[in-house]
Amino acid sequence: IPNQLLLEIIDGCRADLQAQRFDTWPDLRQYTHKVACAVGLVSIKIFGCTDPGSENYAVALGHALQLTNIIRDVGEDLSNGGRVYLPLDELARFDYTEQDLADRVHDGRFLSLMAFQADRATELFAEAGRLLPARDRRALRPAAIMHSIYAKLLDKMRADSFRVFDRRYQLSKPRMLAILAGHMLGKG
């Protein structure tokens, strides 16, 4: 496991010790790389992946998983020191301000902003799916299970109009067990 990946994870965790802002998606993407993609890149080593394409899969999936976390945790992050992980230029694009976010304004602007983020995450999940190397499919089963769970979680938030200010989204245990069983039986 390259030391650089471990240092990136530590750097990403250190960044979370204080509230920060991200001006653009590329800025946020640097953060998600450290806190999620680097974890995936370490994991593929632990899982015993041998296909070099597994690295691209880990990166795409890491961004998708972390962006889904960001969407789910908008309300919690605000309550935890006023953290805002959504790119500021994208708030502006939808004429939605940091004050609107702090006031937990759940209107058409917010729904458009969140749909935009969810569309990005959906595309990252799709990219990861296209990049999953057949040779490492078995080794990457744990990652594929996370992919399925988080994609379903994203769908659930979208279907419920992103009520992230007043609820924490999760899948039921039976639903997660069904996803797990599907993957174990080769249907996931």
PDB file of all heavy atoms in Angstrom, residues 51-71:
ATOM      1  N   ASP A  51      -6.179  -6.294 -11.604  1.00  0.00           N
ATOM      2  CA  ASP A  51      -6.409  -5.544 -12.840  1.00  0.00           C
ATOM      3  C   ASP A  51      -6.121  -4.072 -12.591  1.00  0.00           C
ATOM      4  O   ASP A  51      -6.702  -3.475 -11.675  1.00  0.00           O
ATOM      5  CB  ASP A  51      -7.851  -5.732 -13.296  1.00  0.00           C
ATOM      6  CG  ASP A  51      -8.104  -5.198 -14.693  1.00  0.00           C
ATOM      7  OD1 ASP A  51      -7.731  -4.031 -14.967  1.00  0.00           O
ATOM      8  OD2 ASP A  51      -8.684  -5.929 -15.499  1.00  0.00           O
ATOM      9  N   PRO A  52      -5.240  -3.441 -13.384  1.00  0.00           N
ATOM     10  CA  PRO A  52      -4.963  -2.013 -13.194  1.00  0.00           C
ATOM     11  C   PRO A  52      -6.209  -1.136 -13.312  1.00  0.00           C
ATOM     12  O   PRO A  52      -6.279  -0.057 -12.735  1.00  0.00           O
ATOM     13  CB  PRO A  52      -3.963  -1.681 -14.311  1.00  0.00           C
ATOM     14  CG  PRO A  52      -3.419  -2.981 -14.772  1.00  0.00           C
ATOM     15  CD  PRO A  52      -4.458  -4.028 -14.465  1.00  0.00           C
ATOM     16  N   GLY A  53      -7.236  -1.603 -14.023  1.00  0.00           N
ATOM     17  CA  GLY A  53      -8.476  -0.858 -14.164  1.00  0.00           C
ATOM     18  C   GLY A  53      -9.241  -0.719 -12.858  1.00  0.00           C
ATOM     19  O   GLY A  53     -10.122   0.138 -12.744  1.00  0.00           O
ATOM     20  N   SER A  54      -8.913  -1.530 -11.882  1.00  0.00           N
ATOM     21  CA  SER A  54      -9.583  -1.432 -10.581  1.00  0.00           C
ATOM     22  C   SER A  54      -9.321  -0.089  -9.922  1.00  0.00           C
ATOM     23  O   SER A  54     -10.143   0.386  -9.138  1.00  0.00           O
ATOM     24  CB  SER A  54      -9.132  -2.572  -9.669  1.00  0.00           C
ATOM     25  OG  SER A  54      -9.617  -3.797 -10.154  1.00  0.00           O
ATOM     26  N   GLU A  55      -8.195   0.525 -10.237  1.00  0.00           N
ATOM     27  CA  GLU A  55      -7.898   1.845  -9.671  1.00  0.00           C
ATOM     28  C   GLU A  55      -8.900   2.881 -10.174  1.00  0.00           C
ATOM     29  O   GLU A  55      -9.405   3.694  -9.388  1.00  0.00           O
ATOM     30  CB  GLU A  55      -6.467   2.262 -10.001  1.00  0.00           C
ATOM     31  CG  GLU A  55      -5.440   1.430  -9.272  1.00  0.00           C
ATOM     32  CD  GLU A  55      -4.017   1.878  -9.526  1.00  0.00           C
ATOM     33  OE1 GLU A  55      -3.808   2.944 -10.175  1.00  0.00           O
ATOM     34  OE2 GLU A  55      -3.107   1.165  -9.081  1.00  0.00           O
ATOM     35  N   ASN A  56      -9.203   2.854 -11.472  1.00  0.00           N
ATOM     36  CA  ASN A  56     -10.178   3.799 -12.020  1.00  0.00           C
ATOM     37  C   ASN A  56     -11.555   3.560 -11.419  1.00  0.00           C
ATOM     38  O   ASN A  56     -12.296   4.506 -11.137  1.00  0.00           O
ATOM     39  CB  ASN A  56     -10.231   3.690 -13.543  1.00  0.00           C
ATOM     40  CG  ASN A  56      -8.931   4.114 -14.185  1.00  0.00           C
ATOM     41  OD1 ASN A  56      -8.234   4.984 -13.685  1.00  0.00           O
ATOM     42  ND2 ASN A  56      -8.582   3.490 -15.287  1.00  0.00           N
ATOM     43  N   TYR A  57     -11.896   2.295 -11.230  1.00  0.00           N
ATOM     44  CA  TYR A  57     -13.166   1.934 -10.591  1.00  0.00           C
ATOM     45  C   TYR A  57     -13.214   2.515  -9.177  1.00  0.00           C
ATOM     46  O   TYR A  57     -14.208   3.137  -8.783  1.00  0.00           O
ATOM     47  CB  TYR A  57     -13.317   0.410 -10.563  1.00  0.00           C
ATOM     48  CG  TYR A  57     -14.480  -0.071  -9.736  1.00  0.00           C
ATOM     49  CD1 TYR A  57     -15.776  -0.014 -10.224  1.00  0.00           C
ATOM     50  CD2 TYR A  57     -14.280  -0.582  -8.457  1.00  0.00           C
ATOM     51  CE1 TYR A  57     -16.856  -0.461  -9.467  1.00  0.00           C
ATOM     52  CE2 TYR A  57     -15.354  -1.029  -7.690  1.00  0.00           C
ATOM     53  CZ  TYR A  57     -16.627  -0.961  -8.193  1.00  0.00           C
ATOM     54  OH  TYR A  57     -17.690  -1.390  -7.444  1.00  0.00           O
ATOM     55  N   ALA A  58     -12.153   2.324  -8.407  1.00  0.00           N
ATOM     56  CA  ALA A  58     -12.113   2.803  -7.023  1.00  0.00           C
ATOM     57  C   ALA A  58     -12.261   4.317  -6.948  1.00  0.00           C
ATOM     58  O   ALA A  58     -12.938   4.841  -6.052  1.00  0.00           O
ATOM     59  CB  ALA A  58     -10.817   2.363  -6.348  1.00  0.00           C
ATOM     60  N   VAL A  59     -11.663   5.021  -7.875  1.00  0.00           N
ATOM     61  CA  VAL A  59     -11.741   6.485  -7.872  1.00  0.00           C
ATOM     62  C   VAL A  59     -13.161   6.945  -8.198  1.00  0.00           C
ATOM     63  O   VAL A  59     -13.737   7.777  -7.489  1.00  0.00           O
ATOM     64  CB  VAL A  59     -10.704   7.096  -8.840  1.00  0.00           C
ATOM     65  CG1 VAL A  59     -10.946   8.586  -9.035  1.00  0.00           C
ATOM     66  CG2 VAL A  59      -9.281   6.851  -8.310  1.00  0.00           C
ATOM     67  N   ALA A  60     -13.743   6.411  -9.263  1.00  0.00           N
ATOM     68  CA  ALA A  60     -15.108   6.818  -9.636  1.00  0.00           C
ATOM     69  C   ALA A  60     -16.095   6.477  -8.517  1.00  0.00           C
ATOM     70  O   ALA A  60     -16.944   7.302  -8.149  1.00  0.00           O
ATOM     71  CB  ALA A  60     -15.523   6.141 -10.943  1.00  0.00           C
ATOM     72  N   LEU A  61     -15.969   5.273  -7.961  1.00  0.00           N
ATOM     73  CA  LEU A  61     -16.882   4.868  -6.898  1.00  0.00           C
ATOM     74  C   LEU A  61     -16.670   5.715  -5.643  1.00  0.00           C
ATOM     75  O   LEU A  61     -17.632   6.115  -4.984  1.00  0.00           O
ATOM     76  CB  LEU A  61     -16.721   3.385  -6.577  1.00  0.00           C
ATOM     77  CG  LEU A  61     -17.695   2.828  -5.543  1.00  0.00           C
ATOM     78  CD1 LEU A  61     -19.148   3.022  -5.979  1.00  0.00           C
ATOM     79  CD2 LEU A  61     -17.397   1.360  -5.268  1.00  0.00           C
ATOM     80  N   GLY A  62     -15.425   6.033  -5.328  1.00  0.00           N
ATOM     81  CA  GLY A  62     -15.148   6.872  -4.157  1.00  0.00           C
ATOM     82  C   GLY A  62     -15.821   8.232  -4.261  1.00  0.00           C
ATOM     83  O   GLY A  62     -16.446   8.696  -3.300  1.00  0.00           O
ATOM     84  N   HIS A  63     -15.715   8.858  -5.426  1.00  0.00           N
ATOM     85  CA  HIS A  63     -16.383  10.159  -5.614  1.00  0.00           C
ATOM     86  C   HIS A  63     -17.897  10.018  -5.475  1.00  0.00           C
ATOM     87  O   HIS A  63     -18.554  10.847  -4.845  1.00  0.00           O
ATOM     88  CB  HIS A  63     -16.042  10.750  -6.981  1.00  0.00           C
ATOM     89  CG  HIS A  63     -14.654  11.271  -7.115  1.00  0.00           C
ATOM     90  ND1 HIS A  63     -14.109  12.215  -6.267  1.00  0.00           N
ATOM     91  CD2 HIS A  63     -13.675  10.984  -8.023  1.00  0.00           C
ATOM     92  CE1 HIS A  63     -12.870  12.493  -6.632  1.00  0.00           C
ATOM     93  NE2 HIS A  63     -12.588  11.755  -7.696  1.00  0.00           N
ATOM     94  N   ALA A  64     -18.460   8.960  -6.062  1.00  0.00           N
ATOM     95  CA  ALA A  64     -19.912   8.752  -5.997  1.00  0.00           C
ATOM     96  C   ALA A  64     -20.383   8.534  -4.566  1.00  0.00           C
ATOM     97  O   ALA A  64     -21.376   9.127  -4.132  1.00  0.00           O
ATOM     98  CB  ALA A  64     -20.308   7.552  -6.871  1.00  0.00           C
ATOM     99  N   LEU A  65     -19.673   7.691  -3.828  1.00  0.00           N
ATOM    100  CA  LEU A  65     -20.062   7.411  -2.444  1.00  0.00           C
ATOM    101  C   LEU A  65     -19.970   8.660  -1.580  1.00  0.00           C
ATOM    102  O   LEU A  65     -20.885   8.958  -0.802  1.00  0.00           O
ATOM    103  CB  LEU A  65     -19.168   6.311  -1.853  1.00  0.00           C
ATOM    104  CG  LEU A  65     -19.276   4.920  -2.478  1.00  0.00           C
ATOM    105  CD1 LEU A  65     -18.216   3.993  -1.890  1.00  0.00           C
ATOM    106  CD2 LEU A  65     -20.660   4.329  -2.303  1.00  0.00           C
ATOM    107  N   GLN A  66     -18.876   9.409  -1.715  1.00  0.00           N
ATOM    108  CA  GLN A  66     -18.710  10.586  -0.872  1.00  0.00           C
ATOM    109  C   GLN A  66     -19.710  11.678  -1.225  1.00  0.00           C
ATOM    110  O   GLN A  66     -20.241  12.348  -0.343  1.00  0.00           O
ATOM    111  CB  GLN A  66     -17.278  11.120  -0.953  1.00  0.00           C
ATOM    112  CG  GLN A  66     -16.976  12.194   0.058  1.00  0.00           C
ATOM    113  CD  GLN A  66     -17.113  11.704   1.494  1.00  0.00           C
ATOM    114  OE1 GLN A  66     -16.805  10.558   1.804  1.00  0.00           O
ATOM    115  NE2 GLN A  66     -17.579  12.564   2.380  1.00  0.00           N
ATOM    116  N   LEU A  67     -19.986  11.854  -2.503  1.00  0.00           N
ATOM    117  CA  LEU A  67     -20.974  12.856  -2.892  1.00  0.00           C
ATOM    118  C   LEU A  67     -22.362  12.467  -2.357  1.00  0.00           C
ATOM    119  O   LEU A  67     -23.120  13.333  -1.901  1.00  0.00           O
ATOM    120  CB  LEU A  67     -21.006  13.041  -4.408  1.00  0.00           C
ATOM    121  CG  LEU A  67     -21.911  14.148  -4.926  1.00  0.00           C
ATOM    122  CD1 LEU A  67     -21.623  15.495  -4.265  1.00  0.00           C
ATOM    123  CD2 LEU A  67     -21.781  14.264  -6.451  1.00  0.00           C
ATOM    124  N   THR A  68     -22.675  11.191  -2.361  1.00  0.00           N
ATOM    125  CA  THR A  68     -23.940  10.733  -1.784  1.00  0.00           C
ATOM    126  C   THR A  68     -23.975  11.043  -0.286  1.00  0.00           C
ATOM    127  O   THR A  68     -24.996  11.500   0.237  1.00  0.00           O
ATOM    128  CB  THR A  68     -24.151   9.228  -2.050  1.00  0.00           C
ATOM    129  OG1 THR A  68     -24.130   9.012  -3.468  1.00  0.00           O
ATOM    130  CG2 THR A  68     -25.463   8.746  -1.478  1.00  0.00           C
ATOM    131  N   ASN A  69     -22.859  10.817   0.399  1.00  0.00           N
ATOM    132  CA  ASN A  69     -22.774  11.189   1.819  1.00  0.00           C
ATOM    133  C   ASN A  69     -23.001  12.680   2.013  1.00  0.00           C
ATOM    134  O   ASN A  69     -23.701  13.091   2.943  1.00  0.00           O
ATOM    135  CB  ASN A  69     -21.397  10.837   2.393  1.00  0.00           C
ATOM    136  CG  ASN A  69     -21.263   9.395   2.792  1.00  0.00           C
ATOM    137  OD1 ASN A  69     -22.240   8.698   2.990  1.00  0.00           O
ATOM    138  ND2 ASN A  69     -20.038   8.942   2.901  1.00  0.00           N
ATOM    139  N   ILE A  70     -22.402  13.486   1.170  1.00  0.00           N
ATOM    140  CA  ILE A  70     -22.541  14.941   1.278  1.00  0.00           C
ATOM    141  C   ILE A  70     -24.006  15.341   1.117  1.00  0.00           C
ATOM    142  O   ILE A  70     -24.526  16.152   1.890  1.00  0.00           O
ATOM    143  CB  ILE A  70     -21.628  15.644   0.251  1.00  0.00           C
ATOM    144  CG1 ILE A  70     -20.164  15.505   0.694  1.00  0.00           C
ATOM    145  CG2 ILE A  70     -22.020  17.110   0.065  1.00  0.00           C
ATOM    146  CD1 ILE A  70     -19.141  15.891  -0.366  1.00  0.00           C
ATOM    147  N   ILE A  71     -24.673  14.771   0.128  1.00  0.00           N
ATOM    148  CA  ILE A  71     -26.095  15.071  -0.094  1.00  0.00           C
ATOM    149  C   ILE A  71     -26.909  14.654   1.131  1.00  0.00           C
ATOM    150  O   ILE A  71     -27.716  15.433   1.645  1.00  0.00           O
ATOM    151  CB  ILE A  71     -26.598  14.355  -1.371  1.00  0.00           C
ATOM    152  CG1 ILE A  71     -25.920  14.943  -2.614  1.00  0.00           C
ATOM    153  CG2 ILE A  71     -28.114  14.444  -1.478  1.00  0.00           C
ATOM    154  CD1 ILE A  71     -26.092  14.102  -3.872  1.00  0.00           C
TER     155      ILE A  71
END
